[in-house]
Amino acid sequence: MTEPPGRDEEEVHLFVERMAMAFAEVGFPRMAGRVLFTVMSADEPLTAAEIAERLGVSAAAVSGAVRYLTQFAMLVREPVKGSRRDRYRMPANPWYEATITKTGLYKNFIDIANGGVDALLGRDTPAGERVAEMRDFFLFVQEEIDALGERWRARRAATGHGDRADA
């Protein structure tokens, strides 16, 4: 894979490393961040070997990272015709998709908290009130994420980006 002539590969490398570090500082696995931003900064899908070469790491390190990223819909895996290899690319809307995928977490928290509120006799006890407040917060966050997703899709469509296959 070659990138366009005149592209400053050192600056691209710094971008990848800086973004991976920024994501790591908020809990994202560092290697997954490096892989994500390497694929994002490529004009074409990349094989695991190409990602490893660009990062100067082992194929095993890339394998774990792409598994993590595909699980959260941050990368899409596609087979290479006539080969056992796969290529990885960004999905059409990775930030929205990953956020929506993660929001299953809030539904789980809400469901568990509902059971806790029942077990603690509702809001009639201090402990029940605390758990109900937590549940209400997660309900609020879920509703806001859903509304934010709708607004994001509308903005993308309004700017002509809503139909791109590989944004």
Side-chain angles (χ1 to χ4, degrees):
M1 285 280 137
T2 59
E3 298 300 342
R7 181 168 136 149
D8 187 338
E9 292 302 324
E10 182 59 30
E11 284 299 316
V12 172
H13 174 75
L14 288 174
F15 158 75
V16 167
E17 295 300 332
R18 287 177 182 148
M19 285 301 295
M21 190 177 300
F23 269 50
E25 288 173 1
V26 295
F28 199 82
R30 179 118 185 242
M31 182 55 67
R34 293 178 76 203
V35 167
L36 176 64
F37 294 108
T38 296
V39 173
M40 179 182 281
S41 65
D43 288 333
E44 302 284 332
L46 300 173
T47 66
E50 290 166 336
I51 296 167
E53 181 181 332
R54 287 181 183 213
L55 291 173
V57 299
S58 72
V62 170
S63 175
V66 296
R67 192 169 37 256
Y68 178 86
L69 293 164
T70 56
Q71 168 185 326
F72 290 105
M74 297 297 291
L75 286 184
V76 174
R77 182 176 71 184
E78 299 173 332
V80 175
K81 187 176 179 178
S83 170
R84 295 183 347 177
R85 295 181 305 157
D86 295 314
R87 289 196 189 280
Y88 298 91
R89 65 170 178 82
M90 300 292 295
N93 199 351
W95 306 112
Y96 170 73
E97 294 303 324
T99 300
I100 294 305
T101 300
K102 287 265 193 185
T103 59
L105 176 76
Y106 294 114
K107 179 167 181 358
N108 191 37
F109 288 166
I110 292 163
D111 291 345
I112 295 168
N114 277 331
V117 170
D118 291 344
L120 295 166
L121 307 175
R123 292 183 180 263
D124 295 336
T125 66
E129 174 61 27
R130 284 190 300 271
V131 174
E133 183 72 16
M134 177 185 70
R135 178 208 51 214
D136 294 349
F137 173 74
F138 289 133
L139 279 165
F140 172 78
V141 169
Q142 181 64 63
E143 291 165 359
E144 290 298 305
I145 287 173
D146 292 345
L148 191 60
E150 290 298 320
R151 289 193 343 250
W152 176 243
R153 280 194 298 276
R155 175 181 267 184
R156 281 181 50 101
T159 60
H161 296 288
D163 61 346
R164 289 180 43 194
D166 64 344

